[in-house]
Amino acid sequence: MALRINDEAPNFTAKTTQGTINFHEWIGDSWAVLFSHPKDFTPVCTTELGYMARLEPEFKKRNCKIIGLSVDPVENHDKWSKDIEETQGCAVSYPMIGDSDLAVAKLYNMLPAEEPGTSEGRTAATNATVRTVFIVGPDKKIKLMLTYPMTTGRNFDEILRVLDSMQLTAKHKVATPVNWKNGDDVIIVPSVSDDDAKKMFPQGWKTLKPYLRIVQQPK
């Protein structure tokens, strides 16, 4: 099944390094980042997991939980986490899903539904498409999907930036322009009339075009 933004994130029950979870129940009223890896003990993913461990406090400030997934059993994750702490200088404290039967990878369309077998004997190359980041909202809807090649480390500062944008735009009738960072000016969405905008943004705005109105970021 193909997944699109605003689809409900498929629910699942799976073993993790912190016990068995039901994904939707685990999310609760939070936002969530699910990021997947093609195999344990791979170099690029080792750096990614370590960096996310360092960023976790920033996600917590934004009411966002982090969970990793790798197409390997939980026992391997526990061993890998020691390497991550040793080489990256930060311990992984968020859960990591064991997906040795490939069930979650298939559910999230990262591997074909008809893919045979288990994680046993598979290589990172055969799991190359299991390199996706999903952001899921408190409503359990998919807000972002981003897939990277195996040889390119993901930019998780960008994921944090997108989360800031989505949380801001979910609360206010604005959009964020190219390369926006938290605190920069934003755009009044076209569905808001000028009359309504005067009530929402009494400080005023700058009109570049009728459809492009720049305003200070709401508090």
Side-chain angles (χ1 to χ4, degrees):
M1 178 186 71
L3 292 176
R4 296 177 176 85
I5 287 178
N6 292 326
D7 284 350
E8 182 171 288
N11 195 21
F12 58 85
T13 299
K15 291 181 180 179
T16 80
T17 50
Q18 297 181 11
T20 299
I21 66 158
N22 175 283
F23 187 50
H24 283 191
E25 291 177 2
W26 176 82
I27 294 173
D29 295 326
S30 302
W31 292 69
V33 174
L34 168 64
F35 67 117
S36 61
H37 309 85
K39 195 163 183 64
D40 292 2
F41 305 104
T42 50
V44 175
C45 296
T46 298
T47 65
E48 291 177 336
L49 285 156
Y51 193 75
M52 278 297 262
R54 288 199 294 275
L55 271 187
E56 187 176 17
E58 291 299 320
F59 283 97
K60 282 184 176 179
K61 287 179 189 175
R62 294 158 171 82
N63 188 34
C64 183
K65 297 178 178 179
I66 299 170
I67 191 163
L69 177 145
S70 179
V71 183
D72 273 316
V74 167
E75 295 76 19
N76 287 22
H77 296 353
D78 288 328
K79 295 174 184 175
W80 188 22
S81 65
K82 294 180 176 64
D83 286 359
I84 295 165
E85 182 175 7
E86 178 187 342
T87 62
Q88 305 305 306
C90 198
V92 174
S93 58
Y94 51 83
M96 296 166 61
I97 300 164
D99 193 30
S100 56
D101 60 359
L102 315 180
V104 180
K106 293 177 184 178
L107 189 64
Y108 275 75
N109 202 36
M110 294 183 282
L111 287 173
E114 65 274 11
E115 189 79 7
T118 67
S119 63
E120 186 69 29
R122 295 179 68 90
T123 67
T126 55
N127 299 333
T129 50
V130 189
R131 284 274 291 155
T132 303
V133 180
F134 297 90
I135 296 183
V136 180
D139 58 0
K140 313 304 182 290
K141 299 289 181 65
I142 294 173
K143 307 298 183 182
L144 172 143
M145 297 184 294
L146 190 61
T147 303
Y148 273 65
M150 284 195 304
T151 51
T152 303
R154 287 170 278 193
N155 185 337
F156 289 114
D157 292 324
E158 166 66 2
I159 302 304
L160 202 60
R161 186 191 77 90
V162 174
L163 180 63
D164 281 340
S165 172
M166 291 191 296
Q167 291 185 339
L168 176 70
T169 57
K171 187 175 181 181
H172 302 280
K173 292 187 176 181
V174 297
T176 56
V178 62
N179 295 335
W180 172 89
K181 293 180 182 176
N182 198 6
D184 289 352
D185 288 348
V186 297
I187 298 167
I188 302 171
V189 296
S191 60
V192 174
S193 68
D194 282 350
D195 286 342
D196 288 338
K198 289 174 185 176
K199 301 171 187 174
M200 295 178 186
F201 309 105
Q203 77 276 21
W205 62 86
K206 181 179 181 180
T207 300
L208 303 181
K209 291 289 182 181
Y211 58 84
L212 183 53
R213 295 166 293 173
I214 307 299
V215 70
Q216 186 177 12
Q217 177 180 318
K219 301 297 183 184

